[in-house]
Amino acid sequence: MKINVIKTNRVNVQDNGFVIKNGVLESCLIKTGKVVIPEGVLAISPRAFARSYMLEEVVIPEGVVEIGDGAFFSCGNLKKVTIPESVKRIGQAAFEDTGLKEIRLPETMDYIGADAFDNACIKEAVLPKVMKNAGQKVFAMTNLTKVVIPEGFKLREGMFADSWLEEVILEDKNAAIPDHCFSGCIHLKKINFENVSSIGYGAFLKCKSFESVTLSENIKSIESVAFYGSGIRELFIENANVLKEKSIFELCNRLKSVVINARGKGPVKIPARAFAKCRVLADVKFTGSTKLITEIDRGAFADAGIESIELPEKLKIIGNGAFLGSMLKSIIIPRSVTYIGNKAFARCRSLSGSVEIPDDAEIGAECFRECTGICEVILPKGCDRIKQGTFCSCENLENVKNIENVSVIEADTFYMCMKLKTLDLSNVKSIGECAFLNAGLTGAVLKSLTSDGLGKCAFAGCVDIKEADLSESSLKHLPDEVFGGINARIILPDCIEWFGRECLSLTHINEVKIAGSARIDEHAFSRADICHLIFDKNIRAQISETAFADTKIKELDIPDCLYEQYKSIWDKIE
């Protein structure tokens, strides 16, 4: 019989404890700290050595092409591994949670899996000159302090996240930094940004050790929160066009100085929350072709430490909350501005002096809310509406110019403006709820009010008002507490049909004429002092039992039927 023996790589169990099948090392009985993998092995099976706590050193021979997923996962005492040039693939989490101190990878590789060296103790690494693909967080949470990224090595998401890197050298002159690539690298001080072409989402998030950063014109895009919470102290942006996404530098609490250079094509927008919560930011300068900058988006400088800023001369839009809660002491708004958003300057409590709003500008709701230092506002000449809460709690506001053109004052507009004594309200047709609540007005002439032109509590708490003249208005409804508790002389029109709850309590009224189908609610005239109360002889009235509680009436004209119907009320009046 002729026997032909065919050579194969099939080995079941060798004397040295290796289990190898078809060239794949499946497991190994570890007897010492050092393992030398036999020649002829082509691949190391997934989890072949996982959690081998005795393992300290591994020598992988030339010819091995692949190291499987989790092959050496959690080998906490593994400090050294020799990887030959033949290896083209390293699987997911292959060396995760190992004690490796250094690693030298082959010059050319096809793939390194996600978390391959995650949380390893690596302090030094030589990366492949060419790597076609990789997973996320390959070197995340390692002890690397310096790394050179070869030109052919493509970075991936979170690749070095939360590592101990201090310096990164990019050999590719158009390197793309992916999402979260270096996020959480709190010791990272230096990277050659001149070789960067794009910066991904959160790429340098919370990199606390940056000092001075120059973002070159080579950079074409920067994604949201790219430098969120980083430690940058000085920032120079060579091309403002790259600022498109939100919160790029938000919460950079050490950032003191920013220079934004505008160039190329416009328009340029400072994006939403770009520098929000940069609490020590003191100096912002726009340079170059500043006329290209047309918009400061919502919250761009919200809660920032900025005290002064020279806005671009062609700026058109100041977005919602653009400077909300900032430390601005003064502001000059360019005449080019056409829109100032809701809460744009709200809570700028250091803002003082006079603020002039351009003639073509629309003012958003609560725009200057709680700007407690402002003493004067110059409204646009064409302003016919002041939106809700625009000057709410501006405690030192004394003068509002051009208000004679305003026809609508919305709710809470001058709430708590205690130093605001006089305003020309003669052309105002509508005043919203609490518009002047607890304000310092000493008088009001309201001759243009429409039938429902007053909101609840509109003048409540205005204790300094001596007289409010509504006699020429078309007002038909006095809403709840509109003049409640102000102890002032009120001159009413003859057309009011509905007196709301406590609408005139504590006031002094010379004459009240009530006609038609009138309604008088609870405590409407409570503790008021009325010289002459006149009910029309054809009146059909609905009067609350407490409408005139503790009211003083010197003279009452009332039809007999109405007197008899509500006799219990009149009998209690002095």
Side-chain angles (χ1 to χ4, degrees):
M1 178 178 68
K2 183 179 179 181
I3 299 175
N4 298 314
V5 178
I6 301 171
K7 186 177 180 180
T8 70
N9 289 315
R10 180 182 295 275
V11 180
N12 287 327
V13 181
Q14 297 185 355
D15 293 339
N16 55 13
F18 292 102
V19 176
I20 304 171
K21 293 182 180 180
N22 296 323
V24 178
L25 192 157
E26 293 191 350
S27 66
C28 174
L29 179 61
I30 298 174
K31 299 177 180 179
T32 64
K34 181 176 180 179
V35 171
V36 179
I37 294 173
E39 299 289 336
V41 172
L42 301 177
I44 300 172
S45 179
R47 303 188 71 80
F49 295 89
R51 293 192 170 89
S52 297
Y53 302 115
M54 288 180 61
L55 193 59
E56 296 179 1
E57 182 180 353
V58 175
V59 178
I60 301 173
E62 191 69 35
V64 173
V65 176
E66 182 174 353
I67 300 171
D69 293 350
F72 297 92
F73 172 77
S74 200
C75 293
N77 292 311
L78 178 59
K79 294 177 174 60
K80 185 177 181 181
V81 64
T82 302
I83 300 177
E85 287 294 318
S86 58
V87 172
K88 300 300 178 186
R89 295 178 64 87
I90 296 177
Q92 180 177 336
F95 295 93
E96 184 177 354
D97 288 335
T98 61
L100 285 175
K101 300 294 184 183
E102 59 182 52
I103 191 73
R104 177 179 287 273
L105 296 172
E107 288 195 358
T108 302
M109 293 189 69
D110 293 335
Y111 178 75
I112 301 178
D115 305 301
F117 297 93
D118 187 2
N119 203 34
C121 298
I122 297 171
K123 291 184 177 181
E124 297 181 22
V126 178
L127 304 182
K129 291 183 178 179
V130 177
M131 188 188 68
K132 296 179 181 178
N133 198 6
Q136 298 181 7
K137 297 185 176 181
V138 172
F139 295 98
M141 298 180 68
T142 61
N143 293 342
L144 282 169
T145 57
K146 181 178 179 180
V147 67
V148 178
I149 313 293
E151 185 173 354
F153 185 95
K154 301 302 179 186
L155 295 167
R156 291 295 182 264
E157 292 85 351
M159 181 164 275
F160 296 95
D162 300 305
S163 68
W164 285 62
L165 278 172
E166 295 178 10
E167 182 178 2
V168 175
I169 299 174
L170 302 166
E171 294 186 342
D172 186 353
K173 297 190 183 303
N174 287 289
I177 311 295
D179 297 352
H180 290 288
C181 188
F182 298 100
S183 69
C185 293
I186 61 175
H187 301 287
L188 184 58
K189 297 178 181 178
K190 187 176 180 182
I191 182 170
N192 49 332
F193 281 107
E194 64 271 17
N195 285 357
V196 174
S197 62
S198 65
I199 300 174
Y201 183 96
F204 296 98
L205 184 146
K206 296 184 180 179
C207 291
K208 300 288 188 181
S209 297
F210 278 134
E211 292 285 337
S212 180
V213 170
T214 297
L215 301 179
S216 72
E217 58 182 312
N218 187 49
I219 298 173
K220 301 300 185 288
S221 66
I222 303 176
E223 296 298 322
S224 299
V225 300
F227 292 89
Y228 183 99
S230 75
I232 301 173
R233 295 177 186 269
E234 296 180 338
L235 176 64
F236 183 72
I237 301 168
E238 291 188 353
N239 187 356
N241 279 301
V242 302
L243 301 177
K244 297 185 184 299
E245 303 299 328
K246 67 180 181 180
S247 300
I248 295 174
F249 302 99
E250 184 170 351
L251 206 65
C252 290
N253 277 333
R254 297 179 183 176
L255 185 59
K256 293 183 178 181
S257 173
V258 175
V259 177
I260 301 172
N261 188 57
R263 58 187 301 167
K265 296 181 179 180
V268 172
K269 176 170 71 173
I270 308 302
R273 301 193 66 80
F275 299 96
K277 297 183 180 180
C278 295
R279 301 191 190 281
V280 299
L281 180 58
D283 186 22
V284 176
K285 291 181 181 177
F286 300 101
T287 61
S289 300
T290 56
K291 64 183 179 181
L292 297 174
I293 302 173
T294 59
E295 181 175 354
I296 297 176
D297 204 356
R298 60 180 178 83
F301 295 95
D303 296 306
I306 185 169
E307 294 184 356
S308 65
I309 186 170
E310 184 177 344
L311 298 176
E313 67 270 26
K314 296 297 181 181
L315 189 67
K316 292 183 178 180
I317 297 172
I318 300 174
N320 295 345
F323 294 92
L324 171 70
S326 72
M327 299 302 292
L328 279 175
K329 291 185 175 180
S330 62
I331 190 70
I332 297 175
I333 302 173
R335 294 191 177 278
S336 56
V337 171
T338 57
Y339 179 74
I340 305 173
N342 300 340
K343 298 184 179 180
F345 296 95
R347 287 197 288 108
C348 292
R349 296 189 177 99
S350 298
L351 190 60
S352 61
S354 178
V355 174
E356 182 174 0
I357 302 169
D359 285 343
D360 294 328
E362 178 186 347
I363 310 168
E366 301 183 66
C367 186
F368 295 93
R369 184 187 183 103
E370 294 181 47
C371 290
T372 53
I374 292 177
C375 62
E376 180 181 67
V377 171
I378 304 173
L379 296 174
K381 291 180 180 177
C383 178
D384 67 346
R385 175 185 292 266
I386 306 178
K387 293 185 179 179
Q388 180 174 345
T390 299
F391 302 104
C392 176
S393 295
C394 291
E395 296 173 358
N396 287 294
L397 182 60
E398 298 178 356
N399 189 24
V400 180
K401 293 184 176 180
N402 295 331
I403 198 166
E404 63 273 10
N405 301 315
V406 173
S407 61
V408 177
I409 297 175
E410 294 187 2
D412 301 320
T413 298
F414 294 101
Y415 169 81
M416 289 292 291
C417 292
M418 294 177 288
K419 290 191 177 181
L420 188 62
K421 300 298 182 183
T422 59
L423 281 179
D424 183 354
L425 303 176
S426 57
N427 292 318
V428 175
K429 297 179 180 179
S430 175
I431 298 175
E433 290 186 15
C434 303
F436 292 92
L437 179 65
N438 294 335
L441 288 180
T442 57
V445 177
L446 305 164
K447 61 183 182 180
S448 299
L449 290 176
T450 58
S451 59
D452 57 352
L454 279 180
K456 292 180 181 179
C457 301
F459 293 91
C462 293
V463 295
D464 293 331
I465 284 185
K466 300 297 185 289
E467 180 177 287
D469 187 352
L470 292 74
S471 59
E472 297 183 40
S473 73
S474 302
L475 195 67
K476 291 186 177 181
H477 176 208
L478 279 175
D480 295 351
E481 301 180 61
V482 63
F483 291 103
I486 67 172
N487 199 22
R489 181 171 181 262
I490 309 296
I491 306 173
L492 296 173
D494 297 340
C495 50
I496 296 178
E497 298 176 353
W498 182 3
F499 296 85
R501 179 175 53 84
E502 297 186 49
C503 63
L504 293 164
S505 63
L506 282 175
T507 58
H508 301 277
I509 308 169
N510 187 49
E511 183 177 88
V512 181
K513 291 183 179 179
I514 303 176
S517 299
R519 169 178 165 179
I520 306 174
D521 290 346
E522 297 91 336
H523 298 284
F525 294 90
S526 178
R527 292 175 292 167
D529 190 346
I530 303 172
C531 289
H532 195 180
L533 176 59
I534 304 169
F535 286 95
D536 184 79
K537 63 180 180 179
N538 296 317
I539 191 169
R540 295 181 302 280
Q542 179 183 342
I543 306 173
S544 167
E545 282 292 326
T546 60
F548 294 90
D550 299 318
T551 304
K552 293 181 180 180
I553 302 174
K554 291 183 178 179
E555 185 175 353
L556 173 64
D557 292 356
I558 186 169
D560 53 2
C561 59
L562 193 64
Y563 180 81
E564 292 298 330
Q565 183 179 355
Y566 293 104
K567 189 174 184 299
S568 61
I569 294 176
W570 316 125
D571 288 346
K572 296 176 184 178
I573 296 174
E574 295 183 19

